[in-house]
Amino acid sequence: MEKLFKQFEKAGDDAHAEKRKIADQVIEELTTHTWIEKKIFYPAAREADPDTKDHVLGSIEEHHVVLWMLSELKDLDPTDERFDAKMTVLMENVRHHVEEEEKEWFPNIRKAMGRNRLTELGEQMEAAKKKAPRDPLADE
């Protein structure tokens, strides 16, 4: 995701077609990612470490905001003056979300689950990609 964000940031002000293409990739990947985390990872995290409840609930709400932004970006013309601003706010939200998860509570989840369970969970999440909706608000 970070790679796509950096491509968007480097694209010129008038690179509307390129920005649309990048935004479409971001929409597809984040829609899939949020669905998989909500359906598979977060329930497993809560089961492994009940103390993560507040983190999980906060993350679900952050996902909700991101999905609404994705749904708006999906139909927004890249020449619209709000397009770059909306994408910038989306990127800031996602970067914050990732940093918070990776630094604040993923270390505890890794410890609580152990290597074998994490591997199994990773395989489940990879397999679930095929089932994930393509519309950001399909599961809201």
Side-chain angles (χ1 to χ4, degrees):
M1 196 55 49
E2 187 60 32
K3 181 180 176 184
L4 290 172
F5 289 169
K6 287 184 188 228
Q7 288 175 357
F8 188 90
E9 290 168 336
K10 288 179 183 175
D13 289 340
D14 296 324
H16 303 298
E18 180 183 358
K19 287 181 175 181
R20 173 79 268 161
K21 183 179 174 188
I22 294 167
D24 289 343
Q25 282 184 271
V26 167
I27 291 165
E28 182 177 334
E29 291 188 27
L30 279 177
T31 299
T32 298
H33 172 84
T34 57
W35 186 83
I36 289 170
E37 276 195 340
K38 183 178 177 182
K39 296 294 184 185
I40 298 171
F41 181 74
Y42 291 155
R46 284 182 73 169
E47 182 181 320
D49 184 1
D51 290 339
T52 65
K53 176 186 171 193
D54 290 339
H55 288 293
V56 169
L57 292 174
S59 290
I60 288 171
E61 292 307 315
E62 288 173 353
H63 281 191
H64 178 75
V65 170
V66 165
L67 290 170
W68 273 100
M69 292 181 75
L70 294 175
S71 73
E72 292 172 355
L73 270 170
K74 185 178 78 157
D75 298 322
L76 192 60
D77 189 303
T79 62
D80 187 299
E81 67 180 358
R82 298 169 300 152
F83 189 84
D84 284 2
K86 194 170 292 287
M87 191 68 178
T88 298
V89 171
L90 172 74
M91 292 184 298
E92 289 169 355
N93 275 287
V94 170
R95 284 173 171 150
H96 166 78
H97 174 80
V98 168
E99 181 179 346
E100 191 174 73
E101 283 187 343
E102 288 180 358
K103 289 184 179 176
E104 292 183 20
W105 64 284
F106 278 7
N108 294 338
I109 295 300
R110 284 185 195 101
K111 196 182 305 179
M113 285 189 185
R115 183 172 299 212
N116 290 340
R117 177 66 177 126
L118 285 172
T119 300
E120 175 185 299
L121 198 58
E123 291 169 359
Q124 287 176 352
M125 292 168 67
E126 186 63 36
K129 284 182 179 181
K130 297 178 193 114
K131 296 184 223 170
R134 298 294 174 239
D135 178 357
L137 298 182
D139 196 44
E140 280 300 290

